[in-house]
Amino acid sequence: MPQQSKLLEGLNSEQEQAVTHGDGPLLIVAGAGTGKTTVITRRIAYLIEKGVKPDQILALAFGEKAAGEMEERLDLLLPTGGYYNLQISTFHAFGEHILREYGIEIGLPDFKVLDGVGQWLLVRNNLDKFDLDYYRPLGNPTKFIKAMISHFARLKDELITPQEYLDYAEKQRVNTSGGETAADDAGQETARLLEITGAYHVYNKLLLDNSALDFADLVNYTLELFRKRPKVLEKLRSKYQYILVDEFQDTNLAQYELVKLLSAPKNNITVVGDDDQSIYKFRGASISNILHFQKDYPQAKFISLTDNYRSGQKILDMAYDFIQANNPDRLEVKLKLSKKLKGQTGQKGEIRYLPVVTYLDEVDAVIKKIMDLKTGETTFNDFAILARSHAALEPFLNRFEALDLPYIYFANKGLYNKSIILDIVSYFRLLDNYHETTPMFRVLRFPMLGISSAAIIELAALARRKATSLYGAIKQASSLELDEQSLSGCRALLNSLEKHSETARRRSVEQLFVEIVSDLHFARLVNLDSHQGLQAARYLEQFRRRIQDFQNESPDHSLRAFMATLSLELEAGEEGDLEFDPETGPEAIKLMTVHAAKGLEFKYVFVIGLVDKRFPSVERREQVEIPVALIREILPEGNVHVEEERRLFYVAMTRAKQGLFLTSAVDYGGKRAKKPSQFLVELKLAEETAKKPTGKVELKPLAMGKKPSLPLPKSFSYSQISSFRKCPLEYKYQYILKLPLAGNAQFSFGNTIHRAYEKYLKLYRQTLTSADLFGRAEPKLPDLDTLQKLYQESWVDDWYADSGQKDEYKKRGLKMIREFYDECQTALPEPKYLEQPFRLKLGRYYFTGKLDRADSVSDGLVIIDYKTGATRPIDRVDKQQLLIYQWAASEALGEKPVNLQFWFLKDGINKVSFLGTEKQIAETQDDILTTIDKIAECVITGDFHTVDRQTHDASQCEYRDLE
């Protein structure tokens, strides 16, 4: 009898059936907490164990978070590198990957992907090309741009083409042309419809004219590629033998059509979903794709997972009874199955309703309950406060800061509204115009200047008396009787403005940003001693990345160009993207919206603001709606909005493991008292306690006095290792707090050469693919002019000391470009991997990196690393770098490295070869692991001063002045 796979250990009967399912379609309805990620990742691992090659599997997820979780789970299930060639991504990332490789076949050789702001700017800058009347009001011509863009995305998700939309509008026009007057309601609606259909056509043409796609295009054009180029589809069908889709209930029609087309004719497709947790679906069509799946694959195996491994039974029962109100628009009714969850934790679970008088009492009641529960093994990480909207969380943020309670507030937007970023942007505005009053008031309050409030009042009064700006008053500050510290601060500000204005004229906005953060001591606001300090570090780092993104997209890197772009973003309603990972530290209470909590779980969950018109919220209909006649999805029979809100509340309830606490107040600052939420009534909680609010909650001051604890990093790179070996203090500021660090000319130049070579070889590889698929003539290398153009496009213009140094590097680069072209002509390259990232297991950690290039040869793989410096003998550090590449190629990529080469480029292409032994690779791994353990020790203790003074010169540390 064959031994059972270890991958099946600990699975219940239904989970095991799902994991071991053979060929053919499989539908898994997985309730909250039933282990859907466990099932989908173990199924992938099981397929590989049974002989399916990793590159024959495609796993698609609705969002980046779910895709990342799949990767991490597979790390634990599979041998090192066993899943590398497995494609795990979102639908949009997969579409982009396919179009980058084959888009040339439908006229998309190269393209950029526009985000929401990019789309808004495209429309705004071309409004004259749109024939708009209703959707371009004279008083506010940009009013409907966001609504139109959202509408266009919905149309593409529904696979409604511009021509199909126009045909429908024309049909409506004919049907209403018999009206008595041109101003009748039907006529107005038809005119509006014709206007928006025309705008849809113009918008799509503008995208193509600008070599741009939006996110919906990434799926739609991939579908077009498959339909127009059957050979491409045939090749990809042959490659992807098994397809798995997570969060299937949230996929749209276009995404479903994509996987349906790709999986045929074998139809080895597994979809996992739960209609009760559908919170992103268009018009509440939560069961649409699942019902379509059953119709399209009547022979599909169906499995329902109902054993819950997260929550207490009392919580599950109440959640189940609550969601019944969405019947008959649920799968439980449509498919006649039971979705009642059965708790497996042995916990009963606690549910309590906490009504109070005012919203401030609500905050204090939650804090008091948290402090009552925080005993023994419970940490602040066990608590989450969930709200329907970000606005509902603001009183909690203020109170937590006043009490010095550790918290992390998770939001996808709002970077530009953070205090430290408002400070930076205000200073930027002054450099553009010294005489702006509002930003000057903010800058005067910078703590590093030490200007007192009384001094600021005196300066403002002087400005009024002299009819001048605040800047003019500061220049005359010596005429006032100000304290010495304030006078010193005024002088320092004037000197800084003069210095940084000169930098702004000569340097890029990124270089200016780094200089300002250093000169004005913003780094002193960033530290490991407080949660606010850690948050400030993250905001600075994310704002720098926004600046870098701007510079990658714009030929003009000046401050003025950046501020113009930022102003347009703010006009478009953009607040700045924020990145967050709920699992990263430090230990803290988590505050977030219910949408952000999807996929997470906490021991104790507080759902706040449960009052009428807040949760459920007031329905906001789309400003531009798709005609129902054009919608192909199955829409619900009941109240779309309330059902959507009910599913959202169900998600909130099922995040809780042991305790679920629901709160509401009577007074939220308005004129009218608030009624308890409809959902509290449905839960039969409001009727018991609504008339007996508990009143004000007395809260004793909390003495925290504890530094935030940091989590160990999940992964490490060779750059991190090198930085720590050089100076642990530098590692702390560069890789934990991520303070802005000035670049250098050599780095910018090296980045330029790498980009140019990569783009050139990718272009060549694309022609190789086309020749192989369509039997075309033997492909040729793109010509020298093409390579030189790519060099100009790839040029990184920052961090050069002066124009003379920049010109010298540019000439050197042109020489390297010509020599690289000659090298490729002499020996045609066979690039298999270009700028290829890798991830390796190393003890308890992961080690990440990137290969510049790896070429296929008859007996294996040649790994090439470019060095833009002069030829030199390779030392121990060089060899260790190459040994890491050798290790990565064999374990992460499953390849056989036969040669490792450094290409030194300064004086012609000089190749230095090396190949390590297994013993050398093992020694390198041990050496890296030893350093990582030292890093972990510093992170745990918070002490990065443990430096061997004989081997480390602290005076050389970039951050020595901060300690």
PDB file of all heavy atoms in Angstrom, residues 117 120-121 416 546 550 562 564-576:
ATOM      1  N   VAL A 117      -4.404  58.066 -11.444  1.00  0.00           N
ATOM      2  CA  VAL A 117      -3.988  59.449 -11.691  1.00  0.00           C
ATOM      3  C   VAL A 117      -3.550  59.616 -13.141  1.00  0.00           C
ATOM      4  O   VAL A 117      -3.874  60.610 -13.797  1.00  0.00           O
ATOM      5  CB  VAL A 117      -2.855  59.855 -10.733  1.00  0.00           C
ATOM      6  CG1 VAL A 117      -2.325  61.241 -11.089  1.00  0.00           C
ATOM      7  CG2 VAL A 117      -3.346  59.855  -9.294  1.00  0.00           C
ATOM      8  N   TRP A 120      -6.566  59.885 -15.269  1.00  0.00           N
ATOM      9  CA  TRP A 120      -7.209  61.188 -15.069  1.00  0.00           C
ATOM     10  C   TRP A 120      -6.465  62.271 -15.851  1.00  0.00           C
ATOM     11  O   TRP A 120      -7.073  63.099 -16.528  1.00  0.00           O
ATOM     12  CB  TRP A 120      -7.240  61.534 -13.582  1.00  0.00           C
ATOM     13  CG  TRP A 120      -8.063  62.735 -13.231  1.00  0.00           C
ATOM     14  CD1 TRP A 120      -9.387  62.769 -12.909  1.00  0.00           C
ATOM     15  CD2 TRP A 120      -7.604  64.100 -13.168  1.00  0.00           C
ATOM     16  NE1 TRP A 120      -9.781  64.062 -12.645  1.00  0.00           N
ATOM     17  CE2 TRP A 120      -8.717  64.892 -12.795  1.00  0.00           C
ATOM     18  CE3 TRP A 120      -6.378  64.703 -13.377  1.00  0.00           C
ATOM     19  CZ2 TRP A 120      -8.615  66.266 -12.644  1.00  0.00           C
ATOM     20  CZ3 TRP A 120      -6.283  66.099 -13.237  1.00  0.00           C
ATOM     21  CH2 TRP A 120      -7.396  66.858 -12.862  1.00  0.00           C
ATOM     22  N   LEU A 121      -5.140  62.251 -15.772  1.00  0.00           N
ATOM     23  CA  LEU A 121      -4.337  63.253 -16.480  1.00  0.00           C
ATOM     24  C   LEU A 121      -4.473  63.093 -17.990  1.00  0.00           C
ATOM     25  O   LEU A 121      -4.508  64.093 -18.724  1.00  0.00           O
ATOM     26  CB  LEU A 121      -2.865  63.121 -16.072  1.00  0.00           C
ATOM     27  CG  LEU A 121      -2.523  63.568 -14.641  1.00  0.00           C
ATOM     28  CD1 LEU A 121      -1.077  63.232 -14.315  1.00  0.00           C
ATOM     29  CD2 LEU A 121      -2.761  65.067 -14.486  1.00  0.00           C
ATOM     30  N   TYR A 416      -0.094  61.886   1.349  1.00  0.00           N
ATOM     31  CA  TYR A 416       0.121  63.329   1.237  1.00  0.00           C
ATOM     32  C   TYR A 416      -0.469  64.100   2.411  1.00  0.00           C
ATOM     33  O   TYR A 416      -0.194  65.299   2.565  1.00  0.00           O
ATOM     34  CB  TYR A 416      -0.491  63.855  -0.073  1.00  0.00           C
ATOM     35  CG  TYR A 416       0.092  63.244  -1.324  1.00  0.00           C
ATOM     36  CD1 TYR A 416      -0.655  63.197  -2.505  1.00  0.00           C
ATOM     37  CD2 TYR A 416       1.368  62.691  -1.344  1.00  0.00           C
ATOM     38  CE1 TYR A 416      -0.133  62.632  -3.656  1.00  0.00           C
ATOM     39  CE2 TYR A 416       1.900  62.121  -2.486  1.00  0.00           C
ATOM     40  CZ  TYR A 416       1.139  62.089  -3.636  1.00  0.00           C
ATOM     41  OH  TYR A 416       1.660  61.525  -4.776  1.00  0.00           O
ATOM     42  N   ARG A 546       7.688  57.692  -4.333  1.00  0.00           N
ATOM     43  CA  ARG A 546       6.791  58.437  -5.218  1.00  0.00           C
ATOM     44  C   ARG A 546       7.593  59.404  -6.090  1.00  0.00           C
ATOM     45  O   ARG A 546       7.313  59.547  -7.286  1.00  0.00           O
ATOM     46  CB  ARG A 546       5.745  59.213  -4.394  1.00  0.00           C
ATOM     47  CG  ARG A 546       4.853  60.123  -5.236  1.00  0.00           C
ATOM     48  CD  ARG A 546       4.004  59.326  -6.204  1.00  0.00           C
ATOM     49  NE  ARG A 546       3.410  60.148  -7.251  1.00  0.00           N
ATOM     50  CZ  ARG A 546       3.899  60.286  -8.475  1.00  0.00           C
ATOM     51  NH1 ARG A 546       5.023  59.650  -8.822  1.00  0.00           N
ATOM     52  NH2 ARG A 546       3.292  61.029  -9.363  1.00  0.00           N
ATOM     53  N   PHE A 550       7.978  59.385 -10.196  1.00  0.00           N
ATOM     54  CA  PHE A 550       7.805  60.574 -11.027  1.00  0.00           C
ATOM     55  C   PHE A 550       8.999  60.739 -11.971  1.00  0.00           C
ATOM     56  O   PHE A 550       8.820  61.006 -13.171  1.00  0.00           O
ATOM     57  CB  PHE A 550       7.662  61.815 -10.137  1.00  0.00           C
ATOM     58  CG  PHE A 550       8.019  63.109 -10.820  1.00  0.00           C
ATOM     59  CD1 PHE A 550       7.138  63.701 -11.717  1.00  0.00           C
ATOM     60  CD2 PHE A 550       9.243  63.724 -10.576  1.00  0.00           C
ATOM     61  CE1 PHE A 550       7.472  64.884 -12.355  1.00  0.00           C
ATOM     62  CE2 PHE A 550       9.587  64.906 -11.215  1.00  0.00           C
ATOM     63  CZ  PHE A 550       8.701  65.490 -12.107  1.00  0.00           C
ATOM     64  N   PHE A 562       7.875  68.432 -10.611  1.00  0.00           N
ATOM     65  CA  PHE A 562       7.274  67.530  -9.634  1.00  0.00           C
ATOM     66  C   PHE A 562       6.096  68.192  -8.937  1.00  0.00           C
ATOM     67  O   PHE A 562       5.038  67.574  -8.756  1.00  0.00           O
ATOM     68  CB  PHE A 562       8.313  67.089  -8.598  1.00  0.00           C
ATOM     69  CG  PHE A 562       7.729  66.259  -7.479  1.00  0.00           C
ATOM     70  CD1 PHE A 562       7.346  64.948  -7.707  1.00  0.00           C
ATOM     71  CD2 PHE A 562       7.544  66.797  -6.214  1.00  0.00           C
ATOM     72  CE1 PHE A 562       6.790  64.171  -6.692  1.00  0.00           C
ATOM     73  CE2 PHE A 562       6.992  66.034  -5.189  1.00  0.00           C
ATOM     74  CZ  PHE A 562       6.625  64.719  -5.430  1.00  0.00           C
ATOM     75  N   ALA A 564       4.234  70.554 -10.047  1.00  0.00           N
ATOM     76  CA  ALA A 564       3.116  70.668 -10.995  1.00  0.00           C
ATOM     77  C   ALA A 564       2.363  69.353 -11.083  1.00  0.00           C
ATOM     78  O   ALA A 564       1.125  69.324 -11.094  1.00  0.00           O
ATOM     79  CB  ALA A 564       3.645  71.077 -12.365  1.00  0.00           C
ATOM     80  N   THR A 565       3.105  68.253 -11.121  1.00  0.00           N
ATOM     81  CA  THR A 565       2.474  66.933 -11.160  1.00  0.00           C
ATOM     82  C   THR A 565       1.709  66.658  -9.871  1.00  0.00           C
ATOM     83  O   THR A 565       0.586  66.139  -9.906  1.00  0.00           O
ATOM     84  CB  THR A 565       3.535  65.841 -11.377  1.00  0.00           C
ATOM     85  OG1 THR A 565       4.199  66.079 -12.617  1.00  0.00           O
ATOM     86  CG2 THR A 565       2.909  64.458 -11.396  1.00  0.00           C
ATOM     87  N   LEU A 566       2.301  67.006  -8.739  1.00  0.00           N
ATOM     88  CA  LEU A 566       1.642  66.795  -7.449  1.00  0.00           C
ATOM     89  C   LEU A 566       0.353  67.610  -7.367  1.00  0.00           C
ATOM     90  O   LEU A 566      -0.675  67.119  -6.875  1.00  0.00           O
ATOM     91  CB  LEU A 566       2.594  67.184  -6.316  1.00  0.00           C
ATOM     92  CG  LEU A 566       2.099  66.928  -4.892  1.00  0.00           C
ATOM     93  CD1 LEU A 566       1.836  65.448  -4.656  1.00  0.00           C
ATOM     94  CD2 LEU A 566       3.119  67.443  -3.866  1.00  0.00           C
ATOM     95  N   SER A 567       0.380  68.835  -7.867  1.00  0.00           N
ATOM     96  CA  SER A 567      -0.826  69.676  -7.855  1.00  0.00           C
ATOM     97  C   SER A 567      -1.933  69.048  -8.689  1.00  0.00           C
ATOM     98  O   SER A 567      -3.111  69.068  -8.303  1.00  0.00           O
ATOM     99  CB  SER A 567      -0.499  71.075  -8.389  1.00  0.00           C
ATOM    100  OG  SER A 567       0.390  71.744  -7.516  1.00  0.00           O
ATOM    101  N   LEU A 568      -1.549  68.478  -9.837  1.00  0.00           N
ATOM    102  CA  LEU A 568      -2.545  67.815 -10.682  1.00  0.00           C
ATOM    103  C   LEU A 568      -3.099  66.571  -9.985  1.00  0.00           C
ATOM    104  O   LEU A 568      -4.296  66.274 -10.084  1.00  0.00           O
ATOM    105  CB  LEU A 568      -1.918  67.430 -12.018  1.00  0.00           C
ATOM    106  CG  LEU A 568      -1.635  68.590 -12.980  1.00  0.00           C
ATOM    107  CD1 LEU A 568      -0.844  68.105 -14.178  1.00  0.00           C
ATOM    108  CD2 LEU A 568      -2.939  69.243 -13.433  1.00  0.00           C
ATOM    109  N   GLU A 569      -2.243  65.836  -9.291  1.00  0.00           N
ATOM    110  CA  GLU A 569      -2.708  64.665  -8.543  1.00  0.00           C
ATOM    111  C   GLU A 569      -3.731  65.079  -7.491  1.00  0.00           C
ATOM    112  O   GLU A 569      -4.776  64.436  -7.334  1.00  0.00           O
ATOM    113  CB  GLU A 569      -1.529  63.961  -7.869  1.00  0.00           C
ATOM    114  CG  GLU A 569      -0.646  63.171  -8.806  1.00  0.00           C
ATOM    115  CD  GLU A 569       0.368  62.333  -8.048  1.00  0.00           C
ATOM    116  OE1 GLU A 569       0.045  61.869  -6.942  1.00  0.00           O
ATOM    117  OE2 GLU A 569       1.480  62.139  -8.564  1.00  0.00           O
ATOM    118  N   LEU A 570      -3.428  66.142  -6.758  1.00  0.00           N
ATOM    119  CA  LEU A 570      -4.346  66.612  -5.712  1.00  0.00           C
ATOM    120  C   LEU A 570      -5.655  67.087  -6.334  1.00  0.00           C
ATOM    121  O   LEU A 570      -6.731  66.866  -5.790  1.00  0.00           O
ATOM    122  CB  LEU A 570      -3.686  67.726  -4.911  1.00  0.00           C
ATOM    123  CG  LEU A 570      -2.453  67.308  -4.091  1.00  0.00           C
ATOM    124  CD1 LEU A 570      -1.762  68.537  -3.496  1.00  0.00           C
ATOM    125  CD2 LEU A 570      -2.831  66.330  -2.994  1.00  0.00           C
ATOM    126  N   GLU A 571      -5.550  67.735  -7.496  1.00  0.00           N
ATOM    127  CA  GLU A 571      -6.759  68.174  -8.207  1.00  0.00           C
ATOM    128  C   GLU A 571      -7.602  66.975  -8.623  1.00  0.00           C
ATOM    129  O   GLU A 571      -8.839  67.041  -8.627  1.00  0.00           O
ATOM    130  CB  GLU A 571      -6.362  68.989  -9.441  1.00  0.00           C
ATOM    131  CG  GLU A 571      -7.551  69.561 -10.196  1.00  0.00           C
ATOM    132  CD  GLU A 571      -7.136  70.276 -11.470  1.00  0.00           C
ATOM    133  OE1 GLU A 571      -5.937  70.598 -11.622  1.00  0.00           O
ATOM    134  OE2 GLU A 571      -8.018  70.497 -12.320  1.00  0.00           O
ATOM    135  N   ALA A 572      -6.930  65.870  -8.940  1.00  0.00           N
ATOM    136  CA  ALA A 572      -7.641  64.649  -9.344  1.00  0.00           C
ATOM    137  C   ALA A 572      -8.227  63.903  -8.154  1.00  0.00           C
ATOM    138  O   ALA A 572      -8.880  62.873  -8.329  1.00  0.00           O
ATOM    139  CB  ALA A 572      -6.689  63.733 -10.110  1.00  0.00           C
ATOM    140  N   GLY A 573      -7.977  64.403  -6.944  1.00  0.00           N
ATOM    141  CA  GLY A 573      -8.494  63.741  -5.752  1.00  0.00           C
ATOM    142  C   GLY A 573      -7.557  62.690  -5.192  1.00  0.00           C
ATOM    143  O   GLY A 573      -7.933  61.924  -4.299  1.00  0.00           O
ATOM    144  N   GLU A 574      -6.317  62.630  -5.704  1.00  0.00           N
ATOM    145  CA  GLU A 574      -5.351  61.645  -5.229  1.00  0.00           C
ATOM    146  C   GLU A 574      -4.801  62.073  -3.862  1.00  0.00           C
ATOM    147  O   GLU A 574      -4.487  63.246  -3.637  1.00  0.00           O
ATOM    148  CB  GLU A 574      -4.208  61.506  -6.231  1.00  0.00           C
ATOM    149  CG  GLU A 574      -3.105  60.567  -5.822  1.00  0.00           C
ATOM    150  CD  GLU A 574      -3.580  59.139  -5.627  1.00  0.00           C
ATOM    151  OE1 GLU A 574      -4.511  58.707  -6.344  1.00  0.00           O
ATOM    152  OE2 GLU A 574      -3.032  58.460  -4.752  1.00  0.00           O
ATOM    153  N   GLU A 575      -4.675  61.108  -2.953  1.00  0.00           N
ATOM    154  CA  GLU A 575      -4.171  61.397  -1.613  1.00  0.00           C
ATOM    155  C   GLU A 575      -2.811  60.768  -1.357  1.00  0.00           C
ATOM    156  O   GLU A 575      -2.236  60.933  -0.282  1.00  0.00           O
ATOM    157  CB  GLU A 575      -5.164  60.889  -0.559  1.00  0.00           C
ATOM    158  CG  GLU A 575      -6.534  61.546  -0.654  1.00  0.00           C
ATOM    159  CD  GLU A 575      -7.515  60.949   0.346  1.00  0.00           C
ATOM    160  OE1 GLU A 575      -7.075  60.227   1.258  1.00  0.00           O
ATOM    161  OE2 GLU A 575      -8.721  61.190   0.197  1.00  0.00           O
ATOM    162  N   GLY A 576      -2.288  60.046  -2.329  1.00  0.00           N
ATOM    163  CA  GLY A 576      -0.985  59.405  -2.145  1.00  0.00           C
ATOM    164  C   GLY A 576      -1.139  57.986  -1.647  1.00  0.00           C
ATOM    165  O   GLY A 576      -1.797  57.744  -0.630  1.00  0.00           O
TER     166      GLY A 576
END
